Amino acid sequence: MESMGKKKPCPRRSFTPEFKAEIVELCRRGDRSVGQIDFDLTETAVCDWVKQAEVDAGERDGLTSSEREELAALRRENRRLREDVDILKRATAFFAKETR
């Protein structure tokens, strides 16, 4: 019997920046409201795209897309460097114990 009641999570979809920009433009021009966008998108996702476009345009406070990318890269690098330091600490402890 397979696991009853447990659903596998759907794979996360990704969209091109051009597609996102097109959807945002539809909302901004007033052709369609966020709720009327019918591209199998959630209203929350479209709202997030519109908000991010406003931040990027300087119309709203927050981190721009480029700042978000830089922050993510710095966090990845920081995590990698912490792992490197941890490995070196363990190696130092190992060799210090062996020389006694």
Side-chain angles (χ1 to χ4, degrees):
M1 200 179 235
E2 291 185 33
S3 59
M4 294 174 56
K6 294 215 177 188
K7 294 181 180 178
K8 290 184 179 178
C10 294
R12 188 175 185 113
R13 299 183 301 169
S14 62
F15 302 96
T16 64
E18 294 81 16
F19 178 76
K20 290 180 182 181
E22 187 177 327
I23 297 297
V24 167
E25 187 59 31
L26 283 173
C27 292
R28 287 182 138 188
R29 278 196 321 239
D31 293 348
R32 298 184 187 175
S33 70
V34 172
Q36 292 175 326
I37 300 294
D38 188 33
F39 288 95
D40 194 27
L41 300 169
T42 64
E43 195 170 326
T44 305
V46 176
C47 283
D48 289 345
W49 295 350
V50 170
K51 287 178 189 175
Q52 188 61 50
E54 291 172 353
V55 169
D56 291 344
E59 301 167 4
R60 182 187 284 249
D61 288 337
L63 293 176
T64 63
S65 296
S66 61
E67 290 171 334
R68 285 181 184 275
E69 290 171 12
E70 181 182 8
L71 182 60
L74 290 171
R75 285 181 173 160
R76 278 191 303 273
E77 182 181 6
N78 194 5
R79 182 175 44 245
R80 186 186 57 78
L81 291 171
R82 287 180 191 269
E83 290 171 357
D84 291 350
V85 167
D86 187 46
I87 289 169
L88 291 172
K89 282 181 182 178
R90 284 188 268 146
T92 302
F94 175 78
F95 288 116
K97 185 171 57 173
E98 244 186 41
T99 58
R100 291 185 183 176

